[in-house]
Amino acid sequence: MIWTDLITGAILMLTGWAVYKFPMLISGVNTMSKKRLAKVNLEGLKLGFRNVFLICGGAIVLLGGIFTLAHLPFGFHLVMQLVAILALVVTCFVLSKRYDMGMQGEEGKKERRKNWIGIIITAVAFAVILFFFFKGSKPATVEVSEDYITAKGGGYSASIPVQNITSTTMLSRWPDISLRTNGLSTDKVSIGHFRLKGGESCMLFLCDDGGPVLEVRTADGSLYYFNCATEEETLEMIAKVKQQISEQ
């Protein structure tokens, strides 16, 4: 994840330099009339934006390095990035009010209301993202019935008819994954669509604490990997799958 932090931080710091050199890049400024722009302390605004972007970008790089070296959970890492971005948005809003005289008094009342609505929507969006992330980062549930293996977690699901299973193999370790194509991957769980190093597509419903892994192949060429929240639950699930297959 350190590369993500380095790239994100570099982009933010570069943006800070760009808006200082070219203030017309600041949203709203480039659409103002000359009369409206005269009410803006442009020097103070672009200096404030530059400092905020530089500080936020540097903080993401620094904290990303700390999180990586300390091997802290991915969830904390995500929260850190979202909080930094939310702080950037709120600070830019505050700066736009401070250096824009046209935003003061009754004249700017409508504009201030629109900006506050934007801030609230942004905060709610971040809260929703965090909610679904932490909900999705829990281990998947795998249920075995007479006719189906059903797995759900992280917003992904799979329902495999037992009669369509062509082979099952218990693995002592996770498969070799080369790419996450559409899924969720943290330091604890990997759920969703992935690609193996050999190029084969598969679905994972795996938890780091779940012990062994059940590999399931079906008649239509699909490939799945399952385990549960604990090793005991995984072994019990594997035993049920083998029992249902033997009874078909």
Side-chain angles (χ1 to χ4, degrees):
M1 294 302 297
I2 187 61
W3 291 110
T4 302
D5 297 315
L6 290 174
I7 293 171
T8 303
I11 290 174
L12 289 176
M13 289 187 281
L14 181 61
T15 302
W17 174 84
V19 297
Y20 181 75
K21 292 292 184 180
F22 310 100
M24 288 303 171
L25 293 174
I26 299 174
S27 178
V29 171
N30 53 1
T31 60
M32 287 182 180
S33 64
K34 291 183 178 180
K35 182 179 178 180
R36 179 68 178 83
L37 190 59
K39 297 180 180 181
V40 178
N41 180 354
L42 195 57
E43 188 65 29
L45 183 63
K46 69 179 186 178
L47 182 63
F49 269 56
R50 183 199 68 180
N51 293 341
V52 168
F53 275 94
L54 289 177
I55 291 171
C56 186
I60 286 180
V61 172
L62 178 62
L63 292 175
I66 293 173
F67 274 74
T68 301
L69 292 173
H71 301 289
L72 295 177
F74 176 79
F76 290 107
H77 187 270
L78 178 66
V79 170
M80 177 271 293
Q81 286 193 331
L82 291 178
V83 168
I85 294 173
L86 182 59
L88 175 67
V89 173
V90 173
T91 305
C92 287
F93 167 69
V94 172
L95 287 172
S96 67
K97 286 185 61 179
R98 177 180 178 184
Y99 292 108
D100 187 355
M101 295 303 103
M103 292 279 287
Q104 308 303 320
E106 288 296 321
E107 183 181 1
K109 187 175 181 179
K110 183 178 180 181
E111 194 68 25
R112 292 198 306 273
R113 186 183 299 115
K114 287 169 58 179
N115 286 342
W116 275 116
I117 291 174
I119 291 293
I120 292 171
I121 292 175
T122 302
V124 170
F126 281 148
V128 170
I129 291 172
L130 288 175
F131 170 77
F132 281 105
F133 171 79
F134 285 111
K135 181 180 179 181
S137 62
K138 295 180 180 179
T141 58
V142 183
E143 298 180 356
V144 181
S145 66
E146 292 183 1
D147 300 314
Y148 291 93
I149 301 174
T150 304
K152 295 180 181 179
Y156 298 87
S157 64
S159 184
I160 307 170
V162 175
Q163 63 181 6
N164 289 350
I165 294 175
T166 56
S167 69
T168 60
T169 306
M170 188 173 77
L171 308 177
S172 60
R173 61 184 180 88
W174 286 27
D176 291 329
I177 303 298
S178 65
L179 180 68
R180 180 184 64 196
T181 55
N182 180 13
L184 171 71
S185 182
T186 72
D187 57 337
K188 289 294 184 182
V189 301
S190 289
I191 302 173
H193 299 271
F194 292 76
R195 193 179 302 277
L196 300 178
K197 285 187 176 180
E200 191 173 13
S201 297
C202 63
M203 281 198 78
L204 305 185
F205 294 90
L206 299 179
C207 174
D208 189 56
D209 298 325
V213 173
L214 179 65
E215 177 188 87
V216 176
R217 294 182 179 274
T218 61
D220 62 0
S222 297
L223 175 60
Y224 303 87
Y225 293 93
F226 304 99
N227 69 6
C228 303
T230 65
E231 182 173 354
E232 292 76 14
E233 291 175 326
T234 298
L235 293 174
E236 182 179 349
M237 178 268 294
I238 292 174
K240 287 182 180 179
V241 170
K242 290 185 176 181
Q243 179 182 352
Q244 295 304 326
I245 291 177
S246 65
E247 293 177 356
Q248 290 294 317

